[in-house]
Amino acid sequence: MAQNRKKKIGLIGGGQIGGNLALLAVQKNLGDVVLYDIPAAEGLVKGKALDINQLSAVDGYDSRVIGSTDWKDVAGSDVIIITAGVPRKPGMTREDLLDVNLKIMRDVAGNIKQHAPNAFVINVANPLDAMVYALHKIAGLPDNMVVGMAGVLDTSRFKCFVAEALGSSIRDVEALVLGGHGDDMVPLVRHSTVGGVPLTQLIAKDKLDAIIDRTRKGGAELVGLYKTGSAYFGPAASSIAMAESFLFDRKRVLPAAAMLKGQYGISDFFFGVPVQIGAGGVEKVITVELNDAEKAELKKSYESVKQTVELVKL
Ligand code: LMR
């Protein structure tokens, strides 16, 4: 009987998000995992790989993790998720990370170009949208094979705060956040529902405004609590949802920083919108009908991402 080839997932960065990604990937049996980091972190990636493999009997999963400091092990990955880079600390913006993380991205993207040019690549490093731009340019990846993770995370935060405010099941919350991964992101209240009922009929305006504000600052709230770093469970779960949709051709519609070619009036630019992800990578960009106020908010978000992208010198 013909056997499907086991998929390979390359995780670049062995920190908190990388470890969570590795665990989720094998628990979901997505394929075998290579957890890569630089030689100084060899013990960390080898340790996390061994730790995860040792617990495989508990859940009975057959995927394996290897910890590596050699890009040759990443070669041929079907999916690559990049978490390499420095997280922000309290008082910092994501944009403050541009210089330090761009340096790291240059190396990572160059190695992807050399070792895994056919992979579907998901970026998690900040400032997210600008890093996606740099990654795409340096690695020379096709437009449909590069995305930024943040829309899934921002939308999940929005849904979580809505469910908490109503005391209702998260399963009945339908919501969407558009735009860049920054304080100007656009939670689309008018398009959001709980059990099919518009959000505006369920939550008073002042409470909704507070939820929108908290969503926009969701990452900073965690940075303030963690003190030494930023979110890791959410970014990991969000990236895995995208990877899974690609690997198993699920064709899920997920918000992602994806290459726009005229949609939303934006061209040749990575920006957060709903896309369909399947075996062909980003197979479709979905256009949401916006009113004038929403268009103005989205433009503001676009302008602020553009400002950061313009600082990227390659
Ligand atoms: C997040 O939103 O959690 C990440 O972008 C990390 C951060 O610095 O906020």
Side-chain angles (χ1 to χ4, degrees):
M1 206 167 75
Q3 284 247 310
N4 281 337
R5 180 180 68 83
K6 226 174 179 186
K7 307 283 185 185
K8 182 169 173 180
I9 299 129
L11 304 177
I12 312 305
Q16 293 275 34
I17 310 178
N20 274 295
L21 280 169
L23 183 59
L24 284 170
V26 294
Q27 282 180 330
K28 286 173 170 268
N29 257 320
L30 298 190
D32 288 330
V33 170
V34 179
L35 184 61
Y36 169 91
D37 211 318
I38 55 171
E42 183 172 17
L44 193 73
V45 286
K46 294 214 155 137
K48 285 186 183 180
L50 179 60
D51 199 349
I52 292 171
N53 289 335
Q54 283 178 356
L55 65 88
S56 60
V58 178
D59 285 336
Y61 49 78
D62 293 314
S63 297
R64 280 286 169 276
V65 185
I66 67 160
S68 172
T69 60
D70 188 343
W71 271 97
K72 289 199 187 83
D73 290 323
V74 181
S77 291
D78 297 281
V79 166
I80 288 185
I81 304 175
I82 304 171
T83 64
V86 176
R88 61 176 164 152
K89 311 249 169 11
M92 291 173 78
T93 66
R94 296 185 182 94
E95 287 68 32
D96 290 337
L97 301 171
L98 183 68
D99 288 346
V100 62
N101 283 349
L102 184 56
K103 222 166 130 198
I104 296 166
M105 183 57 86
R106 275 200 193 97
D107 178 61
V108 168
N111 274 299
I112 289 174
K113 182 177 188 159
Q114 190 183 341
H115 298 283
N118 299 319
F120 180 62
V121 186
I122 302 166
N123 174 57
V124 179
N126 271 321
L128 188 124
D129 305 277
M131 286 299 121
V132 176
Y133 165 80
L135 163 68
H136 172 252
K137 272 263 179 307
I138 300 165
L141 293 162
D143 296 345
N144 60 316
M145 295 298 275
V146 193
V147 287
M149 159 287 303
V152 179
L153 176 61
D154 297 329
T155 297
S156 179
R157 284 176 175 153
F158 186 33
K159 288 181 175 176
C160 160
F161 301 144
V162 165
E164 276 181 11
L166 292 170
S168 59
S169 167
I170 195 85
R171 275 182 268 178
D172 296 323
V173 181
E174 283 300 335
L176 175 63
V177 177
L178 293 185
H181 186 50
D183 293 353
D184 295 323
M185 68 180 75
V186 186
L188 277 185
V189 171
R190 201 169 57 90
H191 299 74
S192 303
T193 59
V194 180
V197 182
L199 213 51
T200 44
Q201 290 179 25
L202 296 168
I203 303 180
K205 176 152 181 355
D206 58 331
K207 277 207 179 129
L208 257 176
D209 286 346
I211 288 174
I212 290 169
D213 189 58
R214 192 172 179 202
T215 301
R216 288 183 166 143
K217 297 177 182 147
E221 186 175 350
L222 286 167
V223 170
L225 290 167
Y226 284 142
K227 303 265 190 303
T228 54
S230 53
Y232 40 90
F233 295 119
S238 304
S239 315
I240 287 292
M242 300 171 110
E244 193 173 5
S245 194
F246 169 78
L247 289 168
F248 299 111
D249 196 22
R250 298 254 199 265
K251 303 200 185 297
R252 291 195 61 195
V253 174
L254 298 167
M259 173 60 90
L260 299 187
K261 295 272 182 193
Q263 301 94 339
Y264 297 86
I266 297 171
S267 275
D268 294 317
F269 197 81
F270 284 93
F271 198 51
V273 299
V275 296
Q276 179 180 296
I277 297 177
V282 174
E283 296 177 342
K284 219 186 272 177
V285 171
I286 315 265
T287 305
V288 185
E289 289 238 355
L290 303 175
N291 63 24
D292 286 348
E294 290 155 351
K295 279 183 191 157
E297 282 194 48
L298 200 63
K299 186 156 186 290
K300 188 172 173 214
S301 175
Y302 166 70
E303 294 297 342
S304 76
V305 172
K306 194 161 155 264
Q307 235 174 42
T308 312
V309 166
E310 279 167 3
L311 297 174
V312 176
K313 301 286 170 257
L314 297 175

